[in-house]
Amino acid sequence: VLLQYKEYHASFEENQEAREHMIPSLLVAFQERFWIPISNILVHLCRGRGFATKCSKGRDFQSKVFQKILHDTCKDDAELFSSFLNRLFNTLNWTITEFGVSLKEIKEGARRRQLAEHHQQQRKCTIMFELSVNLLRILEFFSLVLPEVFVQGPGLNLTRLCELVRFVLVHTAAGPEGRSFEERVSHISNFYSQEKLTRGTVLAPVAGILINLYRAELEAQAEGSDHNSVLVCLSASDPVVESMDVLENMQWSKALSAEPQSLVNIRFLSELARALREQEKDHTGCTTVEGGMDTDEDVCTICYSAMADTAFLPCGHRSCHQCISRHLLNNKRCFFCNMDVESLDMS
């Protein structure tokens, strides 16, 4: 609560204990019991760096001190940031799913529900939407200040981020659910909730993430650096390509009363859209397999798009390294036989 006010913010910035310990403590505590209040704090700390951010109404301000500390902490402690990022991905997938389920239940159950139960469901829907937007803004901040984590770091980070972007777009901009977003939200009778649950609100951080990733890839190409291909990951998805029309045509200034300086990079959306449309249409995934696969046994039975080049030990069950790496972030047992994993064999 105190971090919402500029004078208290300044006190935290001037306090040595806060500067040294607050950010690492927040990242460590971002877990099942405390992620909601911590996400609210992080959103306040990241404020002012997002795409299409709203015009200030007097109380908004930017904490450059803690933004730098947040950047430095995550850059210097890769293990801490990796653990936080995994929890952030998992939590966002959950909140977006719950939002979609809540919208469906509101539409299907409006007539048969008791009034109190209906209002409770609407409240849950609004909360899940707001939490999703907050978490997306946090993720957008990291894609801006630490784009190398996705573009030049482990390929799994970029894959998970692109999958999350697709997941959000499917619910809000593309496909049957996305295209009917306004119609589905209209079933919420609470006007306050309808006013907050707008397509532009949730798509703004997604647009920011796409812009940040694309700019980072262009910079890596200009420098001749090895990097993960954002375009290849995104071009595998019809929802992303379809959604680019929505993102390009969105009247951001009108829809969100956005600050003009927060829209200076909007041209990159058009450039990304053109690049995606020019991509070859035979991409089937983010991972390509060189040399082909000789038999069905060579294929990863989880994603069916890569070679089963890694084995769990001691059980010996095989899958591709990317699927196994993602699984081990949250579970240390073989996903085929449930045996404890002691090590991996990548020979």
Side-chain angles (χ1 to χ4, degrees):
V1 174
L2 294 178
L3 286 170
Q4 297 180 39
Y5 300 93
K6 189 173 183 178
E7 57 270 25
Y8 288 104
H9 228 293
S11 298
F12 276 102
E13 291 178 348
E14 294 169 1
N15 184 281
Q16 183 176 351
E17 290 293 315
R19 292 197 306 270
E20 291 180 358
H21 302 296
M22 188 172 79
I23 295 299
S25 298
L26 289 173
L27 298 179
V28 169
F30 185 85
Q31 52 189 325
E32 186 174 340
R33 291 181 59 191
F34 303 110
W35 67 269
I36 293 179
I38 289 175
S39 65
N40 290 333
I41 295 172
L42 291 176
V43 164
H44 283 294
L45 297 181
C46 297
R47 180 172 289 159
R49 303 296 297 276
F51 174 78
T53 49
K54 293 184 178 181
C55 295
S56 173
K57 296 181 179 179
R59 205 173 71 175
D60 290 348
F61 51 90
Q62 184 176 349
S63 177
K64 294 183 178 180
V65 171
F66 279 115
Q67 287 180 6
K68 184 178 187 307
I69 295 173
L70 189 56
H71 166 272
D72 293 345
T73 300
C74 294
K75 185 175 182 178
D76 296 339
D77 194 334
E79 183 176 354
L80 172 63
F81 183 53
S82 177
S83 178
F84 167 78
L85 193 60
N86 177 53
R87 294 194 297 270
L88 180 58
F89 280 136
N90 291 343
T91 306
L92 249 172
N93 276 313
W94 178 76
T95 58
I96 291 294
T97 299
E98 288 297 306
F99 170 66
V101 170
S102 296
L103 274 182
K104 185 177 180 180
E105 290 178 347
I106 288 172
K107 180 178 179 180
E108 294 178 350
R111 294 181 179 179
R112 64 175 182 268
R113 265 199 194 91
Q114 296 295 325
L115 184 62
E117 183 183 354
H118 186 58
H119 286 170
Q120 183 179 10
Q121 192 65 39
Q122 292 186 54
R123 183 172 181 273
K124 175 187 175 183
C125 185
T126 304
I127 291 173
M128 288 300 160
F129 181 84
E130 292 178 331
L131 290 172
S132 298
V133 172
N134 283 349
L135 294 173
L136 282 168
R137 282 298 188 187
I138 295 169
L139 193 53
E140 180 193 10
F141 173 81
F142 286 115
S143 72
L144 173 66
V145 301
L146 288 171
E148 64 272 17
V149 170
F150 306 100
V151 176
Q152 294 175 297
L156 182 59
N157 288 341
L158 180 61
T159 299
R160 295 187 74 184
L161 181 54
C162 289
E163 287 177 350
L164 181 62
V165 166
R166 286 195 289 268
F167 191 49
V168 175
L169 292 176
V170 162
H171 280 83
T172 58
E177 287 192 14
R179 287 191 293 268
S180 62
F181 179 83
E182 283 92 351
E183 187 271 333
R184 290 186 296 138
V185 170
S186 69
H187 290 278
I188 299 178
S189 59
N190 186 317
F191 176 77
Y192 177 68
S193 295
Q194 279 192 31
E195 189 178 45
K196 298 173 74 173
L197 271 64
T198 66
R199 176 179 276 167
T201 301
V202 69
L203 288 184
V206 173
I209 290 170
L210 292 173
I211 289 171
N212 296 337
L213 292 179
Y214 186 55
R215 290 185 65 194
E217 179 167 9
L218 293 178
E219 291 174 5
Q221 289 176 347
E223 296 170 358
S225 305
D226 292 335
H227 64 281
N228 306 312
S229 176
V230 176
L231 286 176
V232 170
C233 264
L234 292 175
S235 66
S237 169
D238 290 336
V240 174
V241 178
E242 179 185 343
S243 299
M244 294 310 296
D245 290 332
V246 177
L247 296 176
E248 283 186 283
N249 296 325
M250 179 75 67
Q251 300 296 316
W252 297 106
S253 296
K254 181 179 179 181
L256 296 177
S257 302
E259 291 276 15
Q261 61 265 32
S262 72
L263 299 172
V264 294
N265 293 318
I266 195 170
R267 65 181 179 86
F268 287 102
L269 275 179
S270 298
E271 292 183 17
L272 174 59
R274 286 195 298 270
L276 285 171
R277 294 179 186 122
E278 292 171 0
Q279 279 283 314
E280 297 179 1
K281 298 189 178 182
D282 59 352
H283 286 299
T284 57
C286 296
T287 305
T288 59
V289 181
E290 297 181 2
M293 290 173 279
D294 297 331
T295 68
D296 289 343
E297 294 180 356
D298 294 327
V299 183
C300 170
T301 55
I302 302 299
C303 66
Y304 289 96
S305 64
M307 291 184 65
D309 55 2
T310 305
F312 293 115
L313 295 179
C315 66
H317 287 117
R318 302 184 68 84
S319 184
C320 73
H321 186 263
Q322 182 163 279
C323 286
I324 285 180
S325 297
R326 178 185 304 190
H327 174 73
L328 291 178
L329 288 172
N330 302 296
N331 192 312
K332 304 303 181 183
R333 293 174 177 267
C334 172
F335 39 48
F336 296 109
C337 67
N338 209 35
M339 181 178 288
D340 288 337
V341 176
E342 297 178 3
S343 61
L344 300 177
D345 178 12
M346 294 177 282
S347 59

